[in-house]
Every structure is written in structure tokens, then in C-alpha cells.
């Protein structure tokens, strides 16, 4: 009891107290990551059972991305003004409410709305876990704990698709996928209540509702356009012009409010005056586009170009996730011991560039061990890059802006990922459709399809096909088209990771601080406080 009181007063926690609190935080992070990975293999069954279509299939994913991306900076700013423990617990409750609604959803519309509610909670968990860890542990010591974050990421990524496939095939059906995270969320809530003891810095709360609303509206409108353009309407059309123009105007208005009006802006624009924060944020956008936009389609590649089951496709992801886990753990340990981090950012981005370039050569005939080796390189690079970009920002930001600075990086990485998934998905669909039509035309001209097969193809809805139900020649055409298109996605992603590498090169390395954000934030408000903090940093 006395240890808890001391921790709440000083913000300094022992290693044991940090590990106890970290257990609850990692459970919360696991819930956030599992929410997307466990549903991936259940989507076909969900759409079929609720009588949905391809647009509904897309929006089950996009709804969560939209709300998660748009609310991440809001949660981060709230963390600078309110109790961090209360905020994490609130995010867990919101996530649980969304999960319950989704589990009992009677239609696609209700399910999509429930996924949007889930995204609100996931956005909070994504931003707040990093902020709380930064509040408990100094940047110099934070590397010791980054391996645990990598382990949770790896576990959720690998177990999610496998667990989802098993649940869908069980008596629970696809609805069980939304129940599976609830016990973990409840456990995380209880553990955090008992173990997380941080000081609540009493400040005048001034929430920037106007700026938050404008940011959410502008980002959401652009992401909706990216998600629907090319399918519901043309990329170059009147609707596209209205949506893009409206999104840009809303974001411009948000920038004006953040710079001129808001007392406590959601995204403090002065953060970007710092070179490290500006470059790390831009690099996060590029990494998000490349990582989410390209790698999310690897599971589809394994199932539709290589004929694997969802479980087998999930097992293939171990190559990338295993590399990420090993890399994040080792680099975290080394950074803790040395205090230097830029070399790992540079080396990690080089590995990502090499891995992405090699993956751009894959097709339906590439040997699977070779594909796994390429994925391993990407995983090793991402493991040395993702957490360390956040670390660089946290080490540079003023302690008062720690929450906002941490969430800004996560926000822009998620935004890049959302745009990447939507845009590259449109590229994939367009290329596969064109290649399949051309291939089938050649089969018909060569007399390799019967009249009955030709008639059946003419009545196809254009949705993702069941490979086992396709005639042999048509299946071969589809697998080849999917394999080639996946390789081209990685080719498109390469320039983005090169841009991220350039940003990383120009980031200025500063030795990691050995004190925590709360300790600095709670320093006496005496004259010359900034000079004292600078002396500490030196």
C-alpha cells in the first residue's frame, strides 16, 4: 500500500511495480491487436451469413480503421490532461461495448456501426499504452521493455488468424470472434486497477472539441474516398472532387483552429518545429503506407495464389512476425545498454527496403521458403524501426506534450496504413480483374472451356472466388493473376520505404534521457525550470 502511494506521489516505480503494471498494459494492447487479426479469417462467413456484399466486406474493416485513426490524437491529448489509468480503462469499456454489439449484430449495417465503436476503443488503447509506458519508464530504460511489446504484437498477429479460423469452424461460429477478446479486456481492467499507480497532474482541462471534430471529419472523409473510389465511383469524378475538396477544406480549417484558436490543441503544431519529431512523423506515414498497404495482402496471396487454407496462411506469417520479435527484442536491449538508437533505425529501414524489393519479384510460382526468407527480412527491419521511431519522438518531446507527441506518430502511421490498404487494394482488384478477363478470353479462344463453364463465368458476381469451385484452367489463371498483382503491390510500396529511409537519415540523434516524463512534468514551477531540464538532459 505504501509503495502504491509513493508511486502515485512521485511517478517513480520500481522494476517489480513496472512489470506488474506492464502485464495489464500488454493485455490491453493484445486486445487492441486481436480485434483486427481474429476477424480476418471470419469475414467471408460473416458476409455470407448477414447477406452482405463486397462493399460490406470492405467496410467491416474500414469502419474500425476510420474511428481508430481519427481518434488516436484525441486520446493522446486527453492523456496530458486526465488520469491515464482512467483513460485506458475507459477505452477497454468502449471496446467491450462495441464487441458485444458486433457479436449480436443482426445485419451488416449494425455490424459496421459496432466495428466503428470498437475502433474508438482500439484507438485509445493504441495511443495510451505507449504513453503510459513512457510515463513509467525513462527513455534509456524503455528498450528493456520494448521486447515485451514486440512479443505481444507477434502473438496477436500469429494467433489471431489461427484462432479466428478455429472459432468460425466451432459451434460458436463467427460471432464467437467478437466474444474472445472480452475476458482478456476484463482481466486487463482489473490488473490495471490493482497495479497501475501514476500521479494525476492536476491541470485546467480545455478540450479542443472544434479541432477534434474537424480533424475527425476531414480525415474520415478522405479515408472514405480512398476506400470507395474505383469501386462505387471513379477516382476522377465529381464525387471524388467533392470528397477530396471537402476533406482538404476540413483539414485546413482544423489546422487554423489548432494554430490560432485552440487553447489546448489536439495536435500541437509547435511539435513539428522540432526536426526529429517532424521527420519521424513523416517516416511513420511512409512506413504505414508500405507496411499495412502491402503486407496486409500477403494472407490473400497465400490463399488465392497458392491455394493455402486460412490456417496455413496464418502459419506463413510467422516468418515476418518472428523476425520482428527477434529484432525488436535485441535492439531494445542494446539501446538500453548504449543509449544510442539511430543506427538501428537506419539499419532497419535498409532491411525493409531490401525485403520489399525482393518481395516485389514474387509470383504464383515463387518457392515458399524463398517468400518466407523475404518476409523475414522485412520483419527484422520493421522490428528495429517501428518502436524506435516512437522512442525518438518521446525522447525529444517536452514532457508536457508527451501524450500528444506519442499519439501523433501513431496517428500518422495509422493514417498512412489506412490509405495504403485502401489504395493498394484498389490497385490489386483492378489488376487481378484485368488479368483474369484477359486470361479467360484466351481460354475461350483456345476452346479450353465448355459452354456450361462459360455461361457460369458470365453470371459471376465478381466477388473473391472459391478456388475449389473453379474449373482447373480458370483457377490457374486466377492464381497467376493474384501472384503477379501481389508482387506489383510491393513494387509500388518500395518508393515509400525509400522516402522513410531518407527521413531517418536526417534525424538528429540525441542520447536517451534517464528520467521519466511525469517526473519532469511534475518538477517545481520555479524560475529557470527549462534550464534545469536542459542541464539534466546534458
Amino acid at each position: 500500500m505504501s509503495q502504491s502511494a509513493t508511486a502515485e506521489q512521485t511517478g517513480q516505480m520500481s522494476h517489480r511495480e513496472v512489470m506488474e503494471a506492464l502485464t495489464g498494459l500488454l493485455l490491453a494492447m493484445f486486445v487492441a491487436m486481436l480485434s483486427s487479426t481474429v476477424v480476418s479469417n471470419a469475414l467471408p462467413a460473416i458476409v455470407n451469413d448477414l447477406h452482405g456484399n463486397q462493399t460490406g466486406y470492405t467496410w467491416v474493416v474500414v469502419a474500425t480503421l476510420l474511428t481508430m485513426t481519427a481518434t488516436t490524437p484525441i486520446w493522446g491529448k486527453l492523456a496530458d490532461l486526465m488520469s491515464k489509468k482512467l483513460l485506458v480503462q475507459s477505452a477497454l469499456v468502449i471496446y467491450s461495448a462495441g464487441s458485444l454489439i458486433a457479436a449480436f449484430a443482426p445485419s451488416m449495417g449494425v455490424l459496421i456501426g459496432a466495428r466503428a465503436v470498437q475502433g474508438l476503443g482500439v484507438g485509445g488503447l493504441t495511443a495510451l499504452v505507449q504513453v503510459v509506458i513512457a510515463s513509467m519508464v525513462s527513455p534509456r530504460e524503455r528498450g528493456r521493455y520494448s521486447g515485451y511489446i514486440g512479443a505481444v504484437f507477434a502473438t496477436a498477429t500469429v494467433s489471431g488468424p489461427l484462432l479466428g479460423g478455429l472459432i468460425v469452424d466451432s459451434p460458436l461460429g463467427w460471432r464467437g470472434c467478437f466474444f474472445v477478446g472480452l475476458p482478456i479486456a476484463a482481466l486487463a481492467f482489473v490488473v490495471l486497477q490493482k497495479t497501475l499507480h501514476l500521479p494525476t497532474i492536476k491541470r485546467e482541462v480545455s478540450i479542443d472539441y472544434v479541432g477534434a471534430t474537424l480533424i475527425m471529419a476531414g480525415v474520415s472523409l478522405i479515408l472514405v474516398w480512398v476506400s470507395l473510389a474505383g469501386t462505387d465511383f471513379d477516382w476522377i469524378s465529381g464525387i471524388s472532387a467533392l470528397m477530396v475538396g471537402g476533406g482538404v477544406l476540413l483539414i485546413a480549417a482544423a489546422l487554423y483552429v489548432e494554430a490560432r484558436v485552440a487553447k489546448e490543441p489536439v495536435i500541437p503544431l509547435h511539435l513539428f518545429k522540432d526536426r526529429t519529431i517532424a521527420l519521424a512523423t513523416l517516416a511513420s506515414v511512409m512506413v504505414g503506407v508500405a507496411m499495412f498497404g502491402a503486407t496486409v495482402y500477403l494472407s490473400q496471396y497465400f490463399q488465392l495464389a497458392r491455394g493455402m487454407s486460412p490456417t496455413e496462411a496464418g502459419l506463413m506469417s510467422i516468418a515476418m512476425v518472428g523476425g520482428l520479435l527477434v529484432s525488436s527484442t535485441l535492439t531494445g536491449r542494446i539501446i538500453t545498454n548504449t543509449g544510442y538508437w539511430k543506427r538501428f533505425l537506419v539499419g532497419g529501414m535498409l532491411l525493409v527496403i531490401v525485403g520489399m524489393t525482393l518481395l516485389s519479384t514474387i509470383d504464383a510460382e515463387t518457392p515458399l521458403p524463398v517468400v518466407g526468407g523475404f518476409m523475414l527480412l522485412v520483419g527484422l527491419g520493421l522490428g528495429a524501426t517501428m518502436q524506435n521511431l516512437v522512442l525518438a519522438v518521446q525522447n525529444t518531446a517536452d514532457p508536457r506534450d508527451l501524450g500528444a507527441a506519442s499519439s501523433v506518430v501513431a496517428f500518422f502511421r495509422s493514417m498512412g496504413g489506412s490509405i495504403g490498404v485502401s489504395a493498394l487494394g484498389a490497385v490489386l482488384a483492378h489488376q487481378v480483374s484485368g488479368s483474369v478477363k484477359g486470361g479467360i478470353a484466351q481460354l475461350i479462344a483456345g476452346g479450353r472451356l465448355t459452354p456450361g463453364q462459360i455461361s457460369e463465368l458470365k453470371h459471376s458476381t465478381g466477388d473473391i472466388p472459391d478456388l475449389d469451385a473453379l474449373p482447373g484452367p480458370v483457377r490457374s489463371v486466377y492464381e497467376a493473376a493474384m501472384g503477379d498483382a501481389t508482387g506489383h503491390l510491393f513494387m509500388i510500396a518500395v518508393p515509400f520505404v525509400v522516402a522513410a529511409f531518407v527521413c531517418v537519415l536526417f534525424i538528429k540523434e540525441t542520447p536517451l534521457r534517464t528520467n521519466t516524463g511525469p517526473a519532469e512534468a511534475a518538477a517545481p514551477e520555479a524560475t529557470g525550470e527549462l534550464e534545469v531540464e536542459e542541464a539534466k538532459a546534458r
Side-chain angles (χ1 to χ4, degrees), residues 26-101:
L26 294 180
L27 285 170
M29 180 173 281
F30 182 76
V31 163
M33 295 175 177
L34 193 67
S35 67
S36 57
T37 59
V38 78
V39 176
S40 58
N41 283 338
L43 281 174
I46 292 173
V47 174
N48 182 60
D49 188 47
L50 296 181
H51 308 292
N53 53 26
Q54 188 63 45
T55 301
Y57 184 105
T58 300
W59 272 92
V60 172
V61 178
V62 172
T64 305
L65 280 175
L66 281 174
T67 51
M68 182 189 75
T69 303
T71 57
T72 296
I74 300 172
W75 286 103
K77 190 60 191 175
L78 289 173
D80 289 333
L81 302 172
M82 299 170 63
S83 166
K84 297 175 180 62
K85 179 165 75 173
L86 178 61
L87 287 172
V88 176
Q89 291 176 321
S90 299
L92 285 168
V93 171
I94 293 171
Y95 164 82
S96 300
S99 298
L100 281 173
I101 298 171

Side-chain angles (χ1 to χ4, degrees), residues 52-175:
N53 53 26
Q54 188 63 45
T55 301
Y57 184 105
T58 300
W59 272 92
V60 172
V61 178
V62 172
T64 305
L65 280 175
L66 281 174
T67 51
M68 182 189 75
T69 303
T71 57
T72 296
I74 300 172
W75 286 103
K77 190 60 191 175
L78 289 173
D80 289 333
L81 302 172
M82 299 170 63
S83 166
K84 297 175 180 62
K85 179 165 75 173
L86 178 61
L87 287 172
V88 176
Q89 291 176 321
S90 299
L92 285 168
V93 171
I94 293 171
Y95 164 82
S96 300
S99 298
L100 281 173
I101 298 171
F104 293 104
S107 66
M108 287 297 295
V110 174
L111 177 63
I112 291 169
R115 290 285 287 169
V117 174
Q118 269 192 319
L120 293 174
V122 172
L125 296 174
T126 302
L128 293 170
V129 169
Q130 293 279 4
V131 173
V132 174
I133 291 175
S135 301
M136 295 191 304
V137 186
S138 71
R140 180 64 179 267
E141 291 297 317
R142 209 166 298 151
R144 177 193 299 183
Y145 304 96
S146 64
Y148 300 117
I149 298 175
V152 169
F153 180 87
T155 303
T157 304
V158 173
S159 65
L162 299 177
L163 188 60
L166 291 172
I167 292 174
V168 171
D169 293 331
S170 75
L172 289 173
W174 63 264
R175 296 182 187 275

Side-chain angles (χ1 to χ4, degrees), residues 444-464:
I444 294 174
R448 297 178 60 189
L449 294 178
T450 65
Q453 291 171 335
I454 296 173
S455 176
E456 188 174 329
L457 289 172
K458 287 181 179 179
H459 290 88
S460 172
T461 61
D463 291 339
I464 298 173

Side-chain angles (χ1 to χ4, degrees), residues 289-348:
V289 170
M291 181 185 70
F292 291 108
T295 59
V296 75
Y297 295 106
L298 277 173
S299 177
Q300 199 173 25
Y301 162 80
F302 288 126
Q303 294 183 55
L304 299 181
R306 311 308 294 263
M308 290 184 172
S309 68
T311 300
E312 291 169 335
L315 290 172
M316 281 299 298
S317 69
I318 292 176
M320 181 179 293
V321 175
L324 189 150
L325 172 60
V326 171
S327 179
S328 63
T329 302
L330 289 179
T331 57
R333 295 281 184 179
I334 296 171
I335 289 170
T336 297
N337 292 332
T338 64
Y340 295 101
W341 44 267
K342 182 175 178 179
R343 64 195 67 175
F344 299 103
L345 277 179
V346 174

Side-chain angles (χ1 to χ4, degrees), residues 2 7 13-14 16 69 76 103 131 139 246 305 330 337 353 356 379 463 479 487:
S2 60
M13 300 172 65
S14 67
R16 179 178 176 179
T69 303
V131 173
L330 289 179
N337 292 332
I353 291 172
M356 288 281 190
D463 291 339
E479 288 178 338

